Amino acid sequence: MLSKVYIETTIPSFYYNTRKAPEHVARMNWTRLWWKTCRPLYDVCSSLAVLDELNRREHPLKLQKMALLKDVTLLKITPEVIKVVEVYIARKVMPTDPVGDALHLALASHHKCDILLSWNCNHIANVQKYDHVRKVNTQLGLHVPLLVTPLEFLTDQK
């Protein structure tokens, strides 16, 4: 059985990055390399929350970013997921936006995703937050996904 990877909003955003700063170009390249070489090895999923986030405001290549997810399974936002979001916010696991990072983590945890893939290194793919996430998820009886960036999958191909 393939490991399940939840694609958070920053992944399609960086796949179609238009910013010229070297760190943004590097993340775009790593994201595209992950999509080409690693994506076929996993059961990839996302959610309407990601599509809504991408659709919420004007930005370059918005339609392409949304189309990148056209063939992935969209996880359901259930009342149980919303309760987990509320716990994450109350316990300061995630910021207070109920349709942002807390929702992505709740979806990945509730639906037993093995990995939550994100470039959000402040709130999601952050080793300093992982222990807090693990403790709260364990108390709630939830699965604890790995919280990683695409770079962590890529190895030197030489």
Side-chain angles (χ1 to χ4, degrees):
M1 176 177 251
L2 298 176
S3 295
K4 190 185 321 185
V5 176
Y6 179 87
I7 301 295
E8 181 266 339
T9 312
T10 59
I11 300 304
S13 291
F14 272 104
Y15 188 96
Y16 285 107
N17 170 61
T18 58
R19 295 172 283 188
K20 302 298 182 203
E23 63 272 18
H24 296 298
V25 173
R27 285 182 179 181
M28 177 188 69
N29 291 333
W30 292 325
T31 302
R32 289 180 175 190
L33 184 58
W34 184 91
W35 203 267
K36 178 182 176 184
T37 62
C38 299
R39 184 198 184 285
L41 305 174
Y42 296 94
D43 176 15
V44 176
C45 60
S46 193
S47 69
L48 283 176
V50 170
L51 294 176
D52 289 344
E53 213 171 333
L54 288 170
N55 196 36
R56 200 174 299 146
R57 56 189 178 278
E58 288 305 314
H59 47 89
L61 306 174
K62 176 165 74 171
L63 295 178
Q64 291 90 328
K65 293 171 188 177
M66 293 174 66
L68 191 64
L69 301 176
K70 70 178 173 32
D71 294 327
V72 304
T73 302
L74 297 179
L75 301 179
K76 294 185 179 180
I77 301 170
T78 64
E80 293 82 12
V81 169
I82 298 304
K83 288 178 186 172
V84 174
V85 169
E86 292 167 356
V87 171
Y88 286 162
I89 291 170
R91 295 193 189 172
K92 301 187 185 324
V93 175
M94 289 288 148
T96 59
D97 179 2
V99 296
D101 302 332
L103 181 55
H104 297 305
L105 179 58
L107 282 159
S109 299
H110 176 78
H111 290 283
K112 297 183 171 104
C113 295
D114 300 293
I115 298 161
L116 193 168
L117 195 66
S118 175
W119 280 113
N120 181 339
C121 298
N122 287 327
H123 302 125
I124 297 176
N126 181 329
V127 70
Q128 295 173 336
K129 292 194 66 100
Y130 186 76
D131 199 40
H132 192 192
V133 170
R134 184 186 54 74
K135 286 177 184 174
V136 171
N137 275 18
T138 299
Q139 291 169 349
L140 295 173
L142 289 172
H143 176 75
V144 183
L146 292 174
L147 308 174
V148 297
T149 69
L151 183 58
E152 293 171 86
F153 286 86
L154 305 176
T155 58
D156 188 5
Q157 306 278 327
K158 293 180 184 177

